[in-house]
Amino acid sequence: MRIIDLSHVMDENMPVYPGTEPPEFFSGCSIEKDGFIETKITLYSHTGTHVDAPAHLLEDGATLDRLPMDHFYGKATVVNLREFPSAIIDLDRICREEDRLRGCEFLLLNTGWDRHWGQAAYFRDFPVLSDEAAFWIAAKGIKGVGVDTISVDKVDSTDLANHKHFLQRNMIIIENLTNLECIDQPCVDFSCFPLAFRHADGSPVRAVAYLLSKRPTRLFTLT
């Protein structure tokens, strides 16, 4: 088995959603002074590679701690959109993946936008699903959708329609994924377990894909 880390590393200089305070890491204890190291971390619940709960936007939506653990684990398929010519991923393009989506519980969109992580370009003109495409995915009854961008909606969106399409179906949304191009199998095991805290509207996650190793061909000599 190969394990692919789909999460960005967190630090004080990492990109955060416009208007959000960056995380802070404070070394409260040191080996020299205390005999051990311990770090105080201050961050918002939607920092870095993270998952959105239905409660993020819906007043009566489920928080992450109210969802079963298997809601954050399952089969996933990756759609390669790195060469897609438009910033709007339309319904026609997404419908082509219907066969791949059968038997899978997560749809991960590989747009290649993670290459802009740490740059101003990361927040501008990133690919997003059209309203129709998001609605089509939401109707499939899967557990979640993941993207390698800052959001499933444009940064200047006021209604966050794509978020609502998914969250109203009790789906989770995983944002700021990376390394999706490393997944070279049509369907893989995927996990995005959140931190365990009460009333969680969202949480940083360590998103991971588990790929089956390709077994070498065995040669037999007939005698």
Side-chain angles (χ1 to χ4, degrees):
M1 176 184 292
R2 289 186 291 141
I3 298 178
I4 307 297
D5 189 357
L6 306 178
S7 311
H8 286 286
V9 175
M10 301 177 70
D11 60 48
E12 293 178 342
N13 299 312
M14 66 185 293
V16 294
Y17 197 83
T20 301
E21 296 175 9
E24 296 179 353
F25 299 83
F26 174 72
S27 297
C29 303
S30 67
I31 292 178
E32 294 78 11
K33 178 183 176 182
D34 306 288
F36 59 89
I37 295 176
E38 191 169 19
T39 304
K40 178 181 178 181
I41 303 173
T42 302
L43 51 75
Y44 276 84
S45 53
H46 296 260
T47 299
T49 304
H50 69 273
V51 60
D52 292 355
H56 180 42
L57 291 181
L58 308 178
E59 187 173 353
D60 59 347
T63 54
L64 297 177
D65 51 301
R66 287 169 50 195
L67 295 173
M69 286 298 288
D70 65 5
H71 208 93
F72 308 101
Y73 178 87
K75 297 292 184 182
T77 190
V78 178
V79 177
N80 184 1
L81 299 166
R82 297 173 73 88
E83 303 300 325
F84 193 67
S86 172
I88 302 298
I89 306 165
D90 58 21
L91 177 60
D92 178 68
R93 177 62 186 86
I94 290 299
C95 281
R96 302 178 203 170
E97 309 301 328
E98 186 162 18
D99 288 342
R100 288 173 61 103
L101 195 54
R102 288 194 181 98
C104 288
E105 299 152 298
F106 292 91
L107 179 64
L108 310 180
L109 305 181
N110 173 20
T111 71
W113 206 253
D114 56 329
R115 69 186 182 276
H116 297 301
W117 180 259
Q119 306 170 34
Y122 190 69
F123 303 97
R124 297 194 304 263
D125 303 321
F126 53 85
V128 295
L129 293 161
S130 69
D131 184 78
E132 295 80 9
F135 183 83
W136 183 88
I137 294 170
K140 292 301 176 183
I142 60 177
K143 293 179 180 178
V145 60
V147 295
D148 57 2
T149 58
I150 191 71
S151 176
V152 294
D153 283 289
K154 294 181 179 180
V155 167
D156 60 356
S157 173
T158 56
D159 60 0
L160 299 174
N162 287 351
H163 274 84
K164 291 175 181 176
H165 283 316
F166 302 133
L167 300 180
Q168 286 170 350
R169 299 287 185 127
N170 215 39
M171 294 171 62
I172 57 173
I173 302 169
I174 311 98
E175 294 168 328
N176 292 324
L177 291 168
T178 189
N179 296 329
L180 291 174
E181 73 279 2
C182 296
I183 300 176
D184 56 3
Q185 298 174 10
C187 189
V188 297
D189 285 346
F190 169 78
S191 67
C192 55
F193 294 114
L195 299 175
F197 64 95
R198 295 191 188 281
H199 314 304
D201 55 88
S203 171
V205 297
R206 191 67 177 264
V208 170
Y210 309 86
L211 280 63
L212 294 177
S213 298
K214 296 178 180 179
R215 296 180 178 178
T217 302
R218 296 184 62 184
L219 301 178
F220 297 89
T221 302
L222 298 180
T223 58

